[in-house]
């Protein structure tokens, strides 16, 4: 593995190896000097709370130096100017570039043009992929239910615009999930994505929830749609909001995930987000160890 751009080319063994390593970091603590002398640069062209902070912490906890660039407020710099940025940063000798961008494929473009020796990690590109989120969601689910083949999983919300949904579907399918329901109003449900047997698309949230073991809720990606496409929040909540009453339709031990940021009262009720079945803060904690595992995999010198 030289870069981490999507989960498409990771098989089940490779995903489990990363998750096992993350789990060891969680239970045994971090080898503080594993990445000593390495430099990780975080380059975010879109806002982020969890993802960037956890990459920074992950780098630091393994002893790497971290440099953080916040470009989310700068005017769009694309194409040539982005390459110029890359080459400028490379001249400072970096080992990993963690990049978030609003355009699909931008991390892959940078990986193509990066010097050998620079690992590019996709921290979310447009609606395309968010591989470390897919991994941390898989780890969170696995901690309670390692039997992926027996799980009924529901992903509900703005799937059309969600890179998280795409990486989650990929991770879960690779790990053996055979019953996956993608649920959204028609405008937020993409044609593609139901790409394996047992993956169904539905607009009926109550029906989708019946017997679910895991439900992953998604934020409406307002920034990726026209204002006119944004639904009325109360109406959306009435049909697609996860309330305690709705959650009762799922299995009694159903785990509730959400990548954050959450919009309380729209896609998820506060009572559920803060309730006993919520794994939302576990996801955040797992995000740090998963990103440590990815950095270790890409940057650690063989022992
Ligand atoms: C997600 C993202 O940026 O894709 N957030 C995250 O990384 N935790 C989902 C979102 O913004 O809704």
């Amino acid at each position: 593995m030289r870069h981490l751009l999507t989960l498409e080319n990771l098989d089940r063994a490779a995903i489990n190896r990363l998750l096992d390593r993350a789990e060891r970091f969680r239970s045994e603590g971090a080898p503080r000097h594993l990445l000593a002398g390495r430099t990780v640069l975080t380059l975010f062209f879109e806002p982020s709370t969890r993802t960037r902070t956890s990459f920074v912490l992950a780098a630091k906890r393994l002893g790497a130096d971290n440099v953080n660039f916040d470009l989310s407020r700068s005017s769009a710099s694309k194409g040539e100017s982005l390459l110029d940025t890359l080459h400028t940063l490379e001249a400072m000798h970096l080992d990993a570039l963690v990049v978030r961008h609003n355009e699909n494929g931008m991390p892959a473009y940078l990986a193509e043009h990066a010097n050998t020796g620079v690992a590019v990690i996709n921290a979310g590109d447009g609606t395309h992929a968010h591989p470390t989120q897919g991994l941390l969601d898989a780890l969170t689910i696995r901690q309670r239910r390692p039997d992926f083949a027996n799980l009924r999983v529901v992903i509900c919300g703005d799937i059309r615009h969600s890179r998280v949904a795409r990486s989650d579907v990929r991770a879960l399918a690779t790990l053996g999930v055979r019953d996956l329901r993608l649920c959204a109003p028609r405008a937020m449900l993409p044609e593609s994505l139901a790409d394996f047997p047992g993956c169904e698309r539905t607009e009926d949230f109550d029906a989708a929830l019946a017997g679910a073991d895991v439900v992953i809720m998604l934020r409406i990606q307002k920034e990726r749609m026209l204002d006119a496409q944004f639904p009325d929040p109360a109406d959306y909540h009435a049909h697609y909001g996860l309330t305690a009453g709705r959650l009762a339709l799922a299995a009694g031990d159903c785990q509730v995930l959400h990548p954050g940021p959450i919009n309380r009262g729209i896609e998820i009720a506060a009572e559920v987000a803060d309730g006993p079945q919520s794994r939302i803060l576990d996801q955040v904690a797992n995000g740090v160890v998963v990103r440590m595992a990815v950095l270790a995999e890409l940057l650690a010198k063989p022992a």
Side-chain angles (χ1 to χ4, degrees):
M1 197 164 115
R2 195 179 144 212
H3 304 289
L4 180 64
L5 302 172
T6 72
L7 297 177
E8 308 294 318
N9 41 12
L10 294 189
D11 62 14
R12 192 179 296 187
I15 290 182
N16 275 320
R17 197 174 64 234
L18 282 167
L19 302 190
D20 291 345
R21 196 165 198 179
E23 202 62 82
R24 277 200 305 279
F25 287 150
R26 195 171 73 95
S27 58
E28 296 166 16
R32 292 258 163 202
H33 303 292
L34 190 70
L35 299 183
R38 303 303 194 117
T39 302
V40 175
L41 190 124
T42 40
L43 183 66
F44 278 57
F45 293 87
E46 273 191 359
S48 167
T49 304
R50 280 147 287 266
T51 306
R52 188 176 55 201
T53 312
S54 58
F55 267 113
V56 169
L57 283 174
K60 290 189 191 228
R61 287 182 185 165
L62 292 172
D65 295 320
N66 168 256
V67 182
N68 192 23
F69 260 66
D70 184 0
L71 295 170
S72 62
R73 284 167 212 284
S74 80
S75 56
S77 61
K78 295 176 190 164
E80 285 297 286
S81 65
L82 188 57
L83 276 192
D84 280 341
T85 310
L86 173 69
H87 295 317
T88 303
L89 297 169
E90 279 178 334
M92 301 181 205
H93 296 295
L94 56 115
D95 299 291
L97 182 64
V98 179
V99 55
R100 168 170 288 192
H101 202 283
N102 60 338
E103 278 186 45
N104 293 5
M106 209 42 109
Y109 176 76
L110 289 177
E112 222 173 274
H113 292 87
N115 286 338
T116 38
V118 175
V120 177
I121 301 171
N122 181 3
D125 61 330
T127 61
H128 171 238
H130 193 347
T132 56
Q133 184 74 43
L135 292 171
L136 78 90
D137 287 348
L139 179 66
T140 305
I141 295 166
R142 197 183 80 160
Q143 286 164 346
R144 299 253 171 102
R145 290 290 303 270
D147 54 331
F148 285 101
N150 300 324
L151 293 184
R152 174 168 291 175
V153 181
V154 177
I155 302 180
C156 179
D158 185 4
I159 294 168
R160 181 184 291 273
H161 299 106
S162 178
R163 56 198 177 203
V164 174
R166 283 177 182 74
S167 287
D168 279 352
V169 169
R170 172 53 53 191
L172 294 172
T174 303
L175 290 167
V177 169
R178 294 178 301 195
D179 183 347
L180 178 64
R181 293 148 185 219
L182 303 174
C183 177
R186 185 167 314 178
M188 296 184 197
L189 207 52
E191 290 300 322
S192 61
L193 237 179
D195 58 351
F196 67 92
C199 184
E200 285 174 16
R201 300 179 313 125
T202 176
E203 292 176 52
D204 183 342
F205 192 23
D206 288 351
L209 277 172
D213 301 296
V214 175
V215 52
I216 302 174
M217 299 303 296
L218 300 171
R219 180 179 70 89
I220 304 173
Q221 305 269 311
K222 193 168 196 263
E223 69 278 27
R224 300 188 211 286
M225 54 174 73
L226 303 170
D227 284 346
Q229 294 173 302
F230 195 80
D232 172 66
D235 189 49
Y236 185 84
H237 186 69
H239 290 94
Y240 295 99
L242 187 60
T243 57
R246 273 216 169 97
L247 184 56
L249 300 169
D253 59 353
C254 178
Q255 310 182 56
V256 176
L257 279 71
H258 191 309
I262 63 174
N263 287 309
R264 290 166 185 262
I266 302 184
E267 77 275 12
I268 191 164
E271 62 195 0
V272 174
D274 304 329
Q277 288 168 254
S278 172
R279 305 291 317 278
I280 296 172
L281 294 179
D282 297 320
Q283 288 173 275
V284 177
N286 287 330
V288 179
V289 288
V290 156
R291 287 164 181 131
M292 285 166 63
V294 168
L295 289 172
E297 177 85 15
L298 292 171
L299 298 186
K301 296 191 181 85

